[in-house]
Amino acid sequence: MAREQEGSVVSSIKSSKELKQAELKGESISISDEQLIKAIERSIKAVEGPMTSLDFSIHKQTKQIMVKVLNKDTGEIIREIPPEKTLDFVAKMQEMAGILIDERR
């Protein structure tokens, strides 16, 4: 029964203000995926400047997260963290290491 009430409380929370009020009442609340995504989006908007935007992607070979800082007006890349060339180099080194190591199956 307590779990059902907790589920209904969590689904009814739509803002951080409502979350704080529920916590003050002593209710234990876990974060849903939707709430987590909304929190991340708000954080990204807070970090972006008036002239810049952030673009997140995953490098295909290394599966590492890349962040590009872009000029909002021109779309020009200001900075890459980590640089894509570095991740390409790491992927190539991993490929070469795989060639050198004999796998037994």
Side-chain angles (χ1 to χ4, degrees), residues 72-99:
K72 279 187 179 178
D73 296 332
T74 64
E76 175 188 359
I77 297 174
I78 298 170
R79 174 173 287 171
E80 291 179 315
I81 307 165
E84 189 170 4
K85 289 182 180 182
T86 302
L87 293 177
D88 290 341
F89 176 73
V90 169
K92 190 67 173 174
M93 294 300 291
Q94 288 174 340
E95 180 185 332
M96 290 177 67
I99 293 171

Side-chain angles (χ1 to χ4, degrees), residues 63-78:
K63 309 288 190 256
Q64 296 292 316
I65 297 173
M66 298 187 318
V67 180
K68 292 181 182 178
V69 181
L70 305 170
N71 183 322
K72 279 187 179 178
D73 296 332
T74 64
E76 175 188 359
I77 297 174
I78 298 170

Side-chain angles (χ1 to χ4, degrees), residues 12 19 22 31 34-38 41 46 51 54 57 63-64 68 71-72 74 78 81 89 91 93 101:
S12 68
L19 178 63
I31 278 187
E34 182 181 350
Q35 290 172 326
L36 180 61
I37 290 168
K38 286 180 181 179
E41 288 174 348
M51 301 297 292
L54 300 176
S57 60
K63 309 288 190 256
Q64 296 292 316
K68 292 181 182 178
N71 183 322
K72 279 187 179 178
T74 64
I78 298 170
I81 307 165
F89 176 73
M93 294 300 291
I101 298 173

Side-chain angles (χ1 to χ4, degrees), residues 6 9-32 34-36 38-39 42:
E6 182 181 317
V9 170
V10 171
S11 63
S12 68
I13 294 176
K14 303 291 184 216
S15 69
S16 60
K17 184 178 180 180
E18 291 175 2
L19 178 63
K20 287 179 186 177
Q21 289 174 349
E23 287 175 343
L24 289 174
K25 291 179 184 177
E27 296 176 14
S28 176
I29 299 174
S30 62
I31 278 187
S32 70
E34 182 181 350
Q35 290 172 326
L36 180 61
K38 286 180 181 179
R42 285 193 303 267

